[in-house]
Amino acid sequence: MPKILELDPHVADLIAAGEVVERPASVVKELIENSIDAGAGIITVEINAGGMTYIRVTDNGCGIAPEDARTAFLRHATSKLRGAEGLDAIGTLGFRGEALAAIAAVSRIELLTREHGAREGVSITLEAGEVRDVSPAGCPEGTTIIVRDLFFNTPARSKFMKSDRAEGSAVTSTVQRCALSHPETSVRLIKDGKTECHTPGDSRVDSCIYSLFGRDFSAGMIAAGSEDDIISTTGYVSAPSAARGNRSYQFFFVNGRSIRSKTLQAALEQAYANSHPSGRYPSCVLYTTVRLGDVDVNVHPAKTEVKFVSDKQVFDSVYYAVLGALDSQRREQPVALQDYGSQFSILNSPSVPYRTPRDSSAGTGGSDTQRYSDASVHGSAPAYSDASSVSFRVIGEALNTYIIVERDSSLWLIDKHAAHERIHFDALRSEGFSPMSQALITPIICRHGHEDAALLLENAELLDKLGFTIESFGEDSIAVRSIPAEIDISETEPVLSEVCVQLKLGGSAEPTRRDEIYRSVACKAAIKAGRSSETDELRALTARVMSGEISSCPHGRPVAFELTKSVLDRSFKRS
Ligand code: ADP
Ligand code: MG
């Protein structure tokens, strides 16, 4: 007897259904996608018991002709794809003709549909994939599908379902994703008789976001966009102050399809690399549009992943869209003190272009301290007033790390290393920055190993812009002929090692590589926590922070905390 036998079609259907229909949320996703493909302007989703007992999706789309009603439930029956050549340019969300067959195989279904302009519609019912009844019906134009008792005939699958509440919230996220993917469609979700969300369908992304996530969330979003002939990215990203503890509000859409993509996530997060501390994540609703032939949508069973012809092209499109949004926000945002928890305020302000050390208006030149001082610093003055006339008094330094400052009716604590690092970093990044380098009489030979030496040499031009002159020196070493003025000769090797580490971690986009190098140099050049500093140095740093130029270090950590008098009074029960 042969060992290999063809499976019974019914069993084959159940296996296929397992790929498409994992849980109620996957049924809802497929049904909404069908409604969107049918051109619906209004879609209503209703579920009971997390979707396990009842899911209904109603749309005002094109409807299905009576003669097609049965066929729609056959496996690989679709109106969206005719031949293999069509696979290269799929413009619809569906194309495999699997969803209705898969859902029908594991539930009891009722479909009611009428084509636009047709006199009558049709009703069809199925149970476990078997057609029970087909009959003419009077119904509104469009389609309604009711799915009852999901997995009633596959107890093994139903055992894997979570609580109704958990399944219901998975449905909510699916509906949110679908609604965001097509802001021109109004989507409503009703759960156990109560409306959970309802988008306006006015084609505006901002009103769609507002209706789904509320006022506070949408107030923290800024518009983003980048466009060229072959690819565009538009949408909204969160302001750095609105960072979250997880990635659950990162939404990416490619050609109208919600997808998960490591490439897009990396592009987003690298654009924030200088504004977020690690462990905090940006949110986004970003729509990338590429030519149909530049993306393969047929690579994942649930169609939630795609393959790009050029990852770099989409990375850059998203990266620059986000970077542009962050830059314009920095320019426009007024100086503001924002709430930070209940006790402190964090200084959050626009970054004013930094005057480079060679800029004559930046001070008297010479030592670091003077370079970063404003012309009006007077060593003996008890209160400092800079060009933007912010007055404050430096009380002193605590723990060799924090500067304590009195300003108006508040005390401020400033992390001196973080502040100095940011000043260096901004200086390095500023347009027209010309490095001050120190030529080394005897070049330093750094033995970094073959791979690192090659990496440094590849980036020699970027390093040169910072004041490092490097040359190849044998297989696995480089010769360093000059280094930036700000760093100590003994730091040469450690800085270059750090640059290598950052280059390997970072992305391949040039701005990212440049920032990684700047960050490493700024960190090494900044005064160290744990080392005491001169009064003038502290005052100059404080001036920069108080003028509102700096709000976070290049790694995104805050540089200053405010402790208001009222908080202090309350702590001492002085009210
Ligand atoms: P696919 O979406 O991949 O084509 P489905 O199994 O999801 O496969 O649907 C099969 C066919 O049924 C679709 O190609 C479409 O013609 C029709 N159809 C399904 N849902 C709808 C709907 N809501 N409105 C109009 N036609 C629909
Ligand atoms: Mg479909």
Side-chain angles (χ1 to χ4, degrees):
M1 193 171 130
K3 286 196 185 127
I4 302 177
L5 295 173
E6 219 176 329
L7 282 174
D8 178 80
H10 174 64
V11 180
D13 281 351
L14 288 180
I15 292 173
E19 291 212 324
V20 182
V21 187
E22 228 185 333
R23 58 197 299 195
S26 32
V27 173
V28 169
K29 171 178 182 285
E30 293 294 339
L31 297 181
I32 299 182
E33 287 188 357
N34 279 347
S35 298
I36 291 173
D37 282 346
I42 302 173
I43 301 172
T44 306
V45 181
E46 208 176 330
I47 62 165
N48 290 340
M52 288 304 294
T53 58
Y54 182 87
I55 297 171
R56 184 171 74 158
V57 176
T58 303
D59 68 51
N60 64 346
C62 65
I64 303 174
E67 65 271 24
D68 285 339
R70 267 174 190 272
T71 326
F73 288 94
L74 296 179
R75 264 182 85 194
H76 309 308
T78 178
S79 57
K80 303 168 194 172
L81 184 66
R82 286 284 171 260
E85 52 307 340
L87 270 176
D88 295 339
I90 290 180
T92 48
L93 296 170
F95 54 89
R96 294 190 185 130
E98 272 183 340
L100 289 188
I103 299 165
V106 291
S107 67
R108 299 181 227 272
I109 282 202
E110 229 178 291
L111 169 100
L112 205 59
T113 182
R114 178 156 73 95
E115 277 194 298
H116 275 247
R119 231 168 39 83
E120 66 177 7
V122 62
S123 136
I124 174 167
T125 54
L126 299 94
E127 198 170 305
E130 297 289 326
V131 176
R132 292 276 180 253
D133 178 59
V134 186
S135 45
C139 58
E141 287 178 341
T143 303
T144 296
I145 295 198
I146 301 174
V147 178
R148 290 196 170 85
D149 307 326
L150 191 61
F151 303 128
F152 80 97
N153 56 338
T154 51
R157 176 53 64 105
S158 87
K159 263 191 253 152
F160 283 97
M161 292 304 110
K162 303 206 174 103
S163 65
D164 290 356
R165 177 192 272 274
E167 294 305 329
S169 64
V171 169
T172 303
S173 347
T174 298
V175 171
Q176 287 171 342
R177 274 176 196 281
C178 291
L180 285 171
S181 75
H182 288 264
E184 73 285 5
T185 306
S186 168
V187 181
R188 181 201 290 259
L189 170 63
I190 302 166
K191 262 189 187 171
D192 299 312
K194 267 181 45 199
T195 293
E196 171 126 335
C197 59
H198 190 184
T199 63
D202 59 2
S203 298
R204 292 184 50 162
V205 177
D206 54 350
S207 55
C208 191
I209 294 175
Y210 190 121
S211 66
L212 293 173
F213 307 126
R215 195 168 110 192
D216 286 352
F217 183 87
S218 54
M221 300 297 272
I222 44 184
S226 76
E227 192 169 355
D228 68 29
D229 295 346
I230 46 175
I231 184 165
S232 75
T233 296
T234 59
Y236 286 84
V237 295
S238 55
S241 55
R244 308 181 83 88
N246 57 53
R247 298 191 170 99
S248 50
Y249 287 86
Q250 294 184 355
F251 299 98
F252 295 102
F253 303 94
V254 171
N255 293 357
R257 184 186 300 280
S258 166
I259 60 147
R260 293 175 208 286
S261 157
K262 289 267 176 252
T263 305
L264 299 189
Q265 182 189 312
L268 170 78
E269 292 182 6
Q270 283 183 24
Y272 280 87
N274 307 321
S275 348
H276 276 176
S278 59
R280 306 288 293 168
Y281 302 96
S283 305
C284 72
V285 178
L286 287 174
Y287 304 86
T288 300
T289 308
V290 299
R291 292 183 302 205
L292 293 182
D294 286 350
V295 58
D296 185 356
V297 296
N298 189 22
V299 294
H300 187 266
K303 299 170 288 177
T304 52
E305 283 170 24
V306 296
K307 206 164 174 329
F308 298 108
V309 167
S310 163
D311 270 337
K312 182 176 183 318
Q313 189 183 70
V314 289
F315 180 99
D316 285 354
S317 177
V318 169
Y319 180 81
Y320 288 110
V322 178
L323 209 60
L326 294 176
D327 279 350
S328 65
Q329 195 236 6
R330 263 183 224 120
R331 281 195 300 276
E332 283 162 21
Q333 193 184 329
V335 176
L337 298 177
Q338 297 200 344
D339 277 350
Y340 192 85
S342 56
Q343 287 207 321
F344 301 109
S345 296
I346 177 171
L347 191 69
N348 193 343
S349 58
S351 66
V352 175
Y354 174 67
R355 289 173 303 204
T356 67
R358 287 204 177 156
D359 183 335
S360 59
S361 64
T364 47
S367 76
D368 257 15
T369 316
Q370 285 166 318
R371 246 186 263 140
Y372 294 112
S373 300
D374 196 276
S376 58
V377 177
H378 302 293
S380 58
Y384 176 92
S385 177
D386 80 347
S388 55
S389 60
V390 183
S391 43
F392 58 82
R393 186 165 69 90
V394 174
I395 295 172
E397 184 181 8
L399 310 171
N400 284 341
T401 303
Y402 302 107
I403 312 172
I404 305 173
V405 180
E406 179 186 345
R407 174 182 165 185
D408 301 329
S409 51
S410 290
L411 277 188
W412 286 82
L413 293 174
I414 298 172
D415 178 329
K416 68 177 183 182
H417 172 77
H420 202 198
E421 196 180 348
R422 183 73 205 200
I423 289 170
H424 268 301
F425 181 71
D426 287 351
L428 297 174
R429 289 176 101 214
S430 65
E431 234 169 86
F433 168 76
S434 47
M436 286 195 290
S437 57
Q438 31 178 335
L440 305 174
I441 301 166
T442 0
I444 300 178
I445 308 301
C446 297
R447 290 179 220 291
H448 285 282
H450 186 71
E451 193 193 350
D452 285 6
L455 190 62
L456 290 170
L457 289 168
E458 253 169 58
N459 289 283
E461 215 176 303
L462 285 176
L463 287 164
D464 184 62
K465 286 190 194 148
L466 291 176
F468 280 106
T469 315
I470 62 167
E471 286 166 9
S472 166
F473 191 83
E475 272 283 285
D476 58 357
S477 302
I478 55 160
V480 185
R481 298 205 167 274
S482 68
I483 60 173
E486 294 87 354
I487 71 165
D488 204 75
I489 294 182
S490 64
E491 298 273 25
T492 311
E493 183 128 26
V495 176
L496 291 175
S497 295
E498 174 67 17
V499 166
C500 287
V501 171
Q502 295 306 329
L503 283 173
K504 283 184 217 159
L505 288 177
S508 55
E510 178 178 317
T512 318
R513 279 188 290 135
R514 210 180 46 212
D515 280 354
E516 300 298 359
I517 297 177
Y518 291 169
R519 248 195 301 275
S520 313
V521 173
C523 181
K524 283 289 182 299
I527 47 171
K528 297 286 175 290
R531 206 199 70 194
S532 81
S533 308
E534 302 280 329
T535 319
D536 278 355
E537 195 172 24
L538 297 180
R539 206 175 282 130
L541 274 176
T542 306
R544 299 295 295 270
V545 175
M546 290 295 138
S547 71
E549 268 172 65
I550 312 160
S551 60
S552 62
C553 82
H555 304 95
R557 289 190 301 276
V559 297
F561 277 117
E562 182 184 12
L563 199 50
T564 61
K565 179 158 189 300
S566 58
V567 167
L568 288 169
D569 287 349
R570 241 181 293 135
S571 310
F572 288 103
K573 311 258 179 283
R574 269 175 158 271
S575 58

